[in-house]
Amino acid sequence: MKVLFITPNDINSINGGGINVKKLYLSLKSIEEIELKVYSPTEALKTDILSKKNKINDVLSRLAFHSNYMYIDWKFNKNKIIEYSPDVVILSNSRLGFIAKYLKNKWPNIKIITQLDNIELDYCENYVEKFKGIKKKLIKLIERKSVYRDEKKAFDYSDSIIFLTERDKKRAKTLYEYKVKKEYIIPICLEKKIELNKKSNKKLNFIFLGSLWYYPNYSGIEWFIKNVWKNIEYDNFQLIIAGSKPSETIKAYNGKDNIVVYPNFKSVEEIIPENSVFISPILEGAGMKVKIAEALSMGLPVIATEESLIGYDEAINKGENKCIYKANTNIEFINKIKEIVRDYSQIKMKNISNMIFEEYYYIDRCKDEISKILEINLSKEQR
């Protein structure tokens, strides 16, 4: 069976979108029974069909009211796909609905599977928050129109949809009212555990990781600093904030009130001490929060809002879970911090976190799920 995997993301990227793409890529690579071809911008993997992810293609696609640079790139590469003649096409993002439509019209019997990182129409609402004034209004108008038409095509022309969360599944039906497909839920899955060895002279370190240009992230950590951090006795603690493109407001916290900001870092191992607690004070957003799974892979306990824990029901409901703490208000955060400080045991919490990670969010889960999806629904059907 010939399988074509199409992604607009760099498969080696360490951001949320990249991690979700790599989940699919590694799973497909592990299936010996298929012939796999990859269409992506990832030069390091010697991708079979290389896309050109650049500003020109991005802008031209938006001017044509499409939501991804691949709309332009596709025009130069679709003949290579036609020549390959795949039996199954897996799209890593619902913004690629224009590809689903083209292929389904050309080959009605082809099987198309689309994975969602989130509901893209909801994501773009937060994405445009980094812009200001008339530019923000214009970009929002173009983005919403472009995303809606492409994402709707993904639902209309795909045979199977893979969601990250049950919430996304329900939201998609509300927005697009599509006919029932084969639907699956596969959460964030990571390829390995991370061993932390960095030492710290602080009693505990509280960690926030995330893209600091993204509105839900920077507004969430600013809320935490003002309403939680400055209302606890933090002399024996340290707050570590790490992520790309922080605002001047966030950078100004560096070195004050036991707060350290890392705008750039090579790996989490170099900045996160062993005796740490992961915090996720996200009050709004879209999709499943990758950083929770990463925290579990590091063996860290987590204090997070209900929004941050969307998609983690299995872990939260796992027996006597004493590593994931839910908090939605400043008082709840303060109380959970006090509870962790009182009961903290690095070895015990690491064991529980790692156990939950291996059971629910390790790559082997995705490999099994993708193999079943192809085998049961697709592998025996040829054009």
Side-chain angles (χ1 to χ4, degrees):
M1 178 176 61
K2 291 182 178 180
V3 176
L4 175 66
F5 177 47
I6 304 179
T7 177
N9 300 86
D10 183 347
I11 294 170
N12 287 326
S13 173
I14 61 172
N15 63 22
I19 288 170
N20 208 31
V21 166
K22 197 163 193 178
K23 172 185 85 176
L24 275 183
Y25 172 73
L26 292 175
S27 298
L28 291 168
K29 287 282 287 184
S30 71
I31 302 173
E32 296 179 356
E33 295 79 12
I34 67 173
E35 177 187 333
L36 178 65
K37 191 179 282 286
V38 179
Y39 174 20
S40 85
T42 314
E43 293 185 62
L45 293 176
K46 297 182 179 178
T47 295
D48 301 291
I49 303 172
L50 188 66
S51 64
K52 293 183 179 179
K53 186 176 183 178
N54 55 45
K55 194 73 174 177
I56 294 175
N57 283 348
D58 200 40
V59 171
L60 290 176
S61 294
R62 268 18 181 239
L63 291 175
F65 285 100
H66 284 280
S67 60
N68 191 274
Y69 78 92
M70 268 196 165
Y71 176 73
I72 297 298
D73 192 85
W74 168 255
K75 294 179 181 298
F76 297 96
N77 284 302
K78 65 182 178 183
N79 286 337
K80 296 176 185 176
I81 279 82
I82 293 170
E83 184 180 343
Y84 180 57
S85 187
D87 301 298
V88 179
V89 173
I90 299 180
L91 305 175
S92 80
N93 191 290
S94 54
R95 289 178 182 239
L96 302 181
F98 55 87
I99 295 179
K101 179 182 178 181
Y102 177 90
L103 292 177
K104 205 66 173 173
N105 285 337
K106 183 171 183 59
W107 294 315
N109 293 326
I110 196 173
K111 295 299 179 181
I112 298 176
I113 304 171
T114 297
Q115 172 186 260
L116 273 73
D117 294 324
N118 46 55
I119 300 299
E120 292 293 331
L121 191 65
D122 291 339
Y123 173 83
C124 75
E125 288 290 328
N126 292 312
Y127 170 79
V128 300
E129 289 298 325
K130 65 181 181 178
F131 301 105
K132 303 295 181 184
I134 189 67
K135 183 178 181 181
K136 176 180 174 179
K137 292 181 180 179
L138 181 60
I139 290 175
K140 184 174 182 177
L141 177 67
I142 295 173
E143 193 73 359
R144 277 192 62 83
K145 182 177 178 64
S146 303
V147 169
Y148 182 84
R149 71 186 299 208
D150 285 338
E151 190 162 53
K152 188 176 190 311
K153 287 173 186 173
F155 285 104
D156 288 343
Y157 291 94
S158 297
D159 298 281
S160 298
I161 305 289
I162 300 174
F163 296 96
L164 278 175
T165 70
E166 185 67 34
R167 181 177 74 172
D168 286 350
K169 179 180 171 182
K170 291 177 180 177
R171 177 69 172 149
K173 283 186 168 60
T174 299
L175 285 172
Y176 299 112
E177 299 179 341
Y178 59 94
K179 295 179 182 178
V180 176
K181 313 276 183 177
K182 294 186 179 73
E183 296 173 321
Y184 308 90
I185 295 177
I186 306 177
I188 292 294
C189 294
L190 309 179
E191 60 178 317
K192 62 181 180 180
K193 288 192 295 185
I194 298 173
E195 290 295 331
L196 300 176
N197 299 302
K198 183 180 172 65
K199 306 298 180 183
S200 168
N201 59 5
K202 295 295 183 182
K203 185 172 183 178
L204 278 178
N205 301 275
F206 292 86
I207 312 298
F208 180 85
L209 296 176
S211 300
L212 296 173
W213 55 266
Y214 184 50
Y215 177 75
N217 287 343
Y218 71 72
S219 63
I221 192 59
E222 286 182 2
W223 174 87
F224 179 85
I225 291 170
K226 293 173 184 176
N227 296 283
V228 179
W229 190 251
K230 293 191 175 182
N231 288 295
I232 64 173
E233 295 291 335
Y234 52 70
D235 289 348
N236 293 323
F237 307 142
Q238 180 173 241
L239 174 60
I240 296 174
I241 303 170
S244 61
K245 300 178 183 177
S247 65
E248 292 302 318
T249 302
I250 289 179
K251 285 192 283 188
Y253 289 122
N254 189 38
K256 300 176 182 177
D257 302 322
N258 281 359
I259 299 173
V260 180
V261 179
Y262 291 100
N264 298 293
F265 57 94
K266 292 180 181 179
S267 66
V268 293
E269 293 93 331
E270 71 178 6
I271 64 169
I272 300 179
E274 297 171 300
N275 57 326
S276 294
V277 176
F278 187 84
I279 60 164
S280 186
I282 306 301
L283 304 174
E284 60 181 294
M288 188 176 179
K289 311 305 181 284
V290 176
K291 300 305 178 185
I292 303 293
E294 289 186 334
L296 295 172
S297 78
M298 298 177 214
L300 300 182
V302 174
I303 308 176
T305 57
E306 192 169 349
E307 173 61 41
S308 299
L309 294 173
I310 293 293
Y312 288 95
D313 295 348
E314 295 167 309
I316 295 169
N317 298 326
K318 177 68 175 179
E320 294 298 315
N321 181 342
K322 287 294 183 181
C323 71
I324 298 178
Y325 300 79
K326 188 183 294 185
N328 290 309
T329 67
N330 60 331
I331 299 301
E332 289 175 353
F333 265 97
I334 290 169
N335 288 338
K336 293 303 180 185
I337 288 172
K338 289 178 179 178
E339 184 179 340
I340 286 182
V341 171
R342 184 186 66 237
D343 301 334
Y344 184 77
S345 167
Q346 185 177 318
I347 294 175
K348 185 177 180 181
M349 288 183 169
K350 180 177 180 180
N351 288 340
I352 297 172
S353 295
N354 283 166
M355 178 189 68
I356 290 173
F357 168 72
E358 289 174 3
E359 185 167 354
Y360 298 116
Y361 311 112
Y362 183 50
I363 189 64
D364 281 0
R365 175 180 183 173
C366 186
K367 289 178 180 179
D368 291 341
E369 296 278 0
I370 294 298
S371 182
K372 288 174 185 176
I373 289 171
L374 289 175
E375 181 182 355
I376 295 171
N377 297 281
L378 307 159
S379 63
K380 301 301 181 183
E381 257 185 90
Q382 303 291 321
R383 285 199 315 280

